[in-house]
Amino acid sequence: MKRTRYIFLALTLILCLGIVFTASASGKLTAKQMMIDRLQSADLIPIGDINKTSSGSASYQVKAISGALATTIEPVAKLAGADLRLDFQLDSPGNKMAMNYLLNYADGKYSGGMFMDGSRCIFTNEILSLLNNIQEGIMPADPPTYLYMDNPAFVDMWENMNRGQYLPPALKELVLFCAEAIPDQYFKVSLTNQRVSFSLDQKGLEDVTLAILNKVAAEKERFANLVADYVAYYGGEQEAIDMIREEIPGSIEQSINDGSYPNTAADVENIMAGMITLKELKYEAPIISPGQHNFTMTLDLGGGPEFSSQFVIKSDFTSGKEVLDGTYTVDAKINIDEGEQNQGIIVVMEGKFNQTGQSSQSNGTIEVNVQDYSTGTTMLDLLIEGHGDAVVDKNVQVEIPVITPTNSMDLMEIALVGNEITANTAAYPTVILDGSPIIFDVEPDMIQVENGGRLLVPLRTLAESLGYEVEWVAPDQVNIVYGDKIMNMFVNRTVYLVDSEERQLDVSPTIKNDRIMVPLRFVAEELGCSVQYNVDTNSVTIYSH
């Protein structure tokens, strides 16, 4: 398990590296150095004030929606004909932005405002009406005028915008850490064509991954500090940040000593086998600006009988001091076979963008198709179109509302007020795990038995929220793996097994909308949690141990 954690972390950094690769370094002008310096150069983004003081608009429209989900799931059905318009004013030197929205959704119109002021994001209370339309019980009885949330990462976002940077400094340092480890052989330069390139295939990915893992092992403290800085940038708790700095070096050292740390080519190959296959990753850039940039990545994940996927990302663009102009395509294909359901999901995103120092325009589409192969049913066919434009406005005036304790509420307190859950008027209780609501993709059911009510919830969502693995075994068995134990449950049977020991339920698991529904309290307590029900707020709170 330790090796899996390290490899996934390394792969995440590599993928960031392959896609954005905007670190800087110094030294001789090797092909590797030329690529790094080229991507770091300021003329990738047009010079001007479009990202400082501007005004503009964006619009999104559901052009088509059909399929079984569009007729059986109410929030999905309500998307038919929905459209959203946003009008904004930006003052990044003042760390401010104001945005008005108008949404047509489910035969209703919703309008309101959103504001950003330093580290704070503020919403007018009209947003609650929309959220309440999607899920009843969210709106408090006496809503405040404003809702807000604070995130320290917003401050760094403003700083990056004012500097013309798009990669957070903490992430850039992690990317640089990776760049230092990559062998020079994966970079090439053509003086004839005036281009420099970086490319990987599966063997190259394994080589690069091993190089990064060896660097992590050799520089444990530096790596731990970089990860801690990254977590801090995104608003992580200080306790977690301190723990990262203290525990990562020791954990790496322990895994090296006990032989579980992957430090050979065979280790990396074995871990990736059946999990990740990089068919192609290539980025080409001009040595001298302006010029054409080309990025392509084809990546397969999974590959097992239960899950497989392929992601193809392409982008071609011209960049320089005067203009950034190009296209992009993201094509994702996902197949899920869990016995009770065999589904295929296709997501295609395409778009064009053009930016100068004085204006920007973008157009794009998102297509989603979901098929249930086991029944031959089209579950969802969705098409969304979007458009945005902005112009420099040096006289832009951004008005931010004054927030006081009497006219506002922290957005998190809509679900949690202090340690109490606000009243929920829905037909089934709100489920809270360690202070955070669990969102189920199929509505829970309340059923009555001789000694009271039982709340049935989707098993996979509950178990995976608790950190356990779930495995479906056709035709009617589901396994929950927790630690060194395994629990076997059976659809429409009250008997279940824990490490082959037979035990009894008072309510048997059932299937609803291709989800296995199980009694929440029983399963949570069997997995070592404590459960409390609050009748006043109609909520169930789970405390993990």
Side-chain angles (χ1 to χ4, degrees), residues 398-420:
V398 179
E399 300 294 335
I400 303 296
V402 178
I403 299 300
T404 68
T406 58
N407 73 357
S408 65
M409 177 183 290
D410 191 321
L411 193 58
M412 296 304 295
E413 295 181 10
I414 296 299
L416 297 169
V417 181
N419 292 321
E420 297 295 329

Side-chain angles (χ1 to χ4, degrees), residues 305-308 334-345 370-377 379 472 514-515:
E306 293 185 351
F307 176 85
S308 63
I334 302 170
N335 292 298
I336 303 171
D337 187 353
E338 296 180 335
E340 77 272 24
Q341 64 173 8
N342 182 0
Q343 293 187 345
I345 304 170
V370 181
Q371 297 288 330
D372 187 337
Y373 297 130
S374 58
T375 62
T377 303
M379 302 301 294
W472 168 259
D514 293 327
R515 297 293 184 268

Side-chain angles (χ1 to χ4, degrees), residues 244-257:
I244 289 170
R245 296 189 197 277
E246 295 172 3
E247 294 190 1
I248 282 185
S251 178
I252 294 174
E253 185 65 31
Q254 180 181 350
S255 64
I256 292 173
N257 293 335

Side-chain angles (χ1 to χ4, degrees), residues 250-314:
S251 178
I252 294 174
E253 185 65 31
Q254 180 181 350
S255 64
I256 292 173
N257 293 335
D258 64 25
S260 64
Y261 191 84
N263 57 7
T264 69
D267 288 338
V268 174
E269 182 179 359
N270 290 336
I271 292 174
M272 288 190 179
M275 185 172 68
I276 179 169
T277 302
L278 181 64
K279 295 185 175 179
E280 179 185 22
L281 190 158
K282 187 172 184 178
Y283 179 74
E284 291 187 354
I287 296 176
I288 300 175
S289 180
Q292 186 73 14
H293 299 248
N294 309 102
F295 174 80
T296 301
M297 182 176 73
T298 302
L299 178 72
D300 291 352
L301 297 177
E306 293 185 351
F307 176 85
S308 63
S309 63
Q310 182 178 86
F311 298 86
V312 179
I313 303 173
K314 296 182 178 181

